[in-house]
């Protein structure tokens, strides 16, 4: 089922390099662009749209290219970071604004960071949720991820690289796979310490879902919410979403000239203390005085997993609106 529409939510489609981008906006005032991650779409910001609108902002949550009602280019290379950044700039312009605050979650955090890095004239501040900022550079990503896990396990990022491989696991039962994936990374339902890590697959025919919790939904995800997510991905498939992972080496090459570059605009970070993204990237968080020199604050929410703005909507809303108010001041 689809979420019940309200008079305040405005769906629209704008022209962008992707072809068309669908977005949902609410409120009036300074523009705040919300960018989702994997595997989500605009709906993951359903708690933030009304809160930002009530605080005096024009909140716009996009469907990233490849997701939801936005265009889904066929070519794998059409999902490189540079193209996603240009999509975001096009949205700001299409909405009649010169600049916006951009906030991203998961892959959206990386996309928001790259947007701020490459187009500071269009993005005057950046909020990052769940995935910390790490400047471009370092070894080739697929080389790094290929070594993670050892001879018996394969890291999920490597598993996603081959077109069609992950789709063959996911698409016969989209709803069941999404339920397990969301539960596996949620603070209240993730596997306990010592259980097989759901970020890996067993080499030689294993599947990610073999390690997902079964028969349980996290508290933030109702059956109706799951229906909304499943309905979108059953309609679109997962290839557009997975193609983001398949461009990491292209991104590494495209952004080489920005190796080590800080983001100098005002910034905010919030993550879940139980999220692997924050524990594995603790060094990136520690480096914020150098990499995010205008950081307002960095927050780790106790007991929270990966889906931070859905697991802890009131806390995230309070953090965002307080930070935005400070920017206005």
């Amino acid at each position: 089922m689809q979420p019940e529409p309200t008079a305040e939510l405005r769906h629209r489609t704008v022209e962008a390099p992707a072809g068309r981008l669908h977005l949902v906006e609410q409120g009036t005032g300074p523009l705040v662009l919300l960018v989702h991650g994997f595997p989500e779409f605009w709906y993951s910001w359903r708690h933030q749209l009304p809160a930002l609108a009530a605080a005096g902002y024009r909140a716009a949550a996009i469907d990233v290219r490849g997701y939801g009602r936005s265009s889904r280019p066929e070519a794998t290379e059409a999902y490189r970071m540079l193209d996603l950044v240009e999509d975001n700039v096009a949205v700001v312009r299409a909405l009649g604004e010169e600049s916006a605050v951009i906030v991203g979650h998961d892959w959206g955090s990386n996309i928001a960071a790259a947007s701020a890095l490459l187009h500071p004239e269009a993005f005057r501040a950046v909020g990052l949720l769940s995935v910390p900022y790490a400047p471009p550079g370092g070894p080739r990503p697929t080389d790094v991820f290929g070594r993670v896990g050892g001879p018996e396990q394969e890291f999920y990022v490597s598993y996603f690289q081959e077109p069609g491989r992950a789709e063959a696991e996911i698409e016969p039962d989209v709803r069941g796979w999404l339920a397990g994936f969301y539960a596996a990374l949620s603070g209240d339902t993730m596997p306990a310490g010592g259980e097989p890590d759901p970020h890996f697959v067993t080499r030689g025919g294993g599947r990610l879902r073999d390690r997902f919790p079964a028969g349980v939904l996290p508290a933030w995800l109702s059956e109706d919410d799951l229906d909304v997510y499943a309905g979108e991905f059953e309609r679109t498939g997962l290839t557009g979403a997975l193609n983001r992972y398949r461009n990491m080496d292209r991104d590494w090459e495209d952004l080489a000239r920005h190796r080590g570059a800080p983001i100098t605009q005002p910034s905010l970070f919030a993550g879940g203390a139980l999220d692997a993204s924050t524990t594995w990237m603790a060094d990136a968080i520690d480096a914020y005085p150098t990499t995010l020199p205008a950081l307002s604050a960095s927050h780790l929410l106790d007991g929270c997993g990966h889906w931070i703005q859905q697991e802890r909507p009131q806390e995230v809303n309070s953090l965002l609106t307080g930070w935005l108010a400070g920017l206005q001041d």
Side-chain angles (χ1 to χ4, degrees), residues 18-183:
R20 68 182 187 280
L21 283 182
H22 169 254
L23 59 91
V24 177
E25 59 178 333
Q26 190 169 5
T28 58
L31 178 62
V32 180
L33 190 66
L34 304 171
V35 187
H36 66 80
F38 174 89
E40 303 172 283
F41 65 114
W42 76 263
Y43 189 72
S44 66
W45 299 105
R46 63 195 178 279
H47 303 298
Q48 284 67 52
L49 286 164
L52 292 172
Y57 299 95
R58 182 187 186 186
I62 67 170
D63 287 342
V64 174
R65 68 164 68 187
Y67 288 86
R69 302 185 204 174
S70 291
S71 291
R72 299 189 300 276
E74 289 189 13
T76 301
E77 60 269 22
Y79 295 84
R80 64 207 307 154
M81 184 64 77
L82 293 182
D83 292 329
L84 301 179
V85 167
E86 294 307 317
D87 284 346
N88 288 340
V89 175
V91 169
V92 174
R93 302 291 182 255
L95 295 180
E97 301 291 343
E98 292 298 320
S99 67
V101 175
I102 188 168
V103 179
H105 169 254
D106 181 75
W107 263 121
S109 178
N110 293 100
I111 297 168
S115 298
L117 180 64
L118 299 177
H119 285 281
E121 81 288 352
F123 302 102
R124 63 180 181 273
V126 58
L128 309 175
L129 301 182
S130 296
V131 175
Y133 175 62
R140 184 178 295 273
T142 55
D143 291 343
V144 174
F145 296 126
R147 294 192 294 267
V148 176
E152 297 183 356
Q153 300 185 118
E154 183 180 15
F155 194 46
Y156 78 101
V157 176
S158 297
Y159 178 68
F160 285 168
Q161 291 302 307
E162 181 184 343
R165 185 183 179 196
E167 290 93 326
E169 172 185 339
I170 301 168
E171 292 181 355
D173 177 22
V174 170
R175 192 178 193 277
W177 193 91
L178 290 175
F181 189 73
Y182 295 144

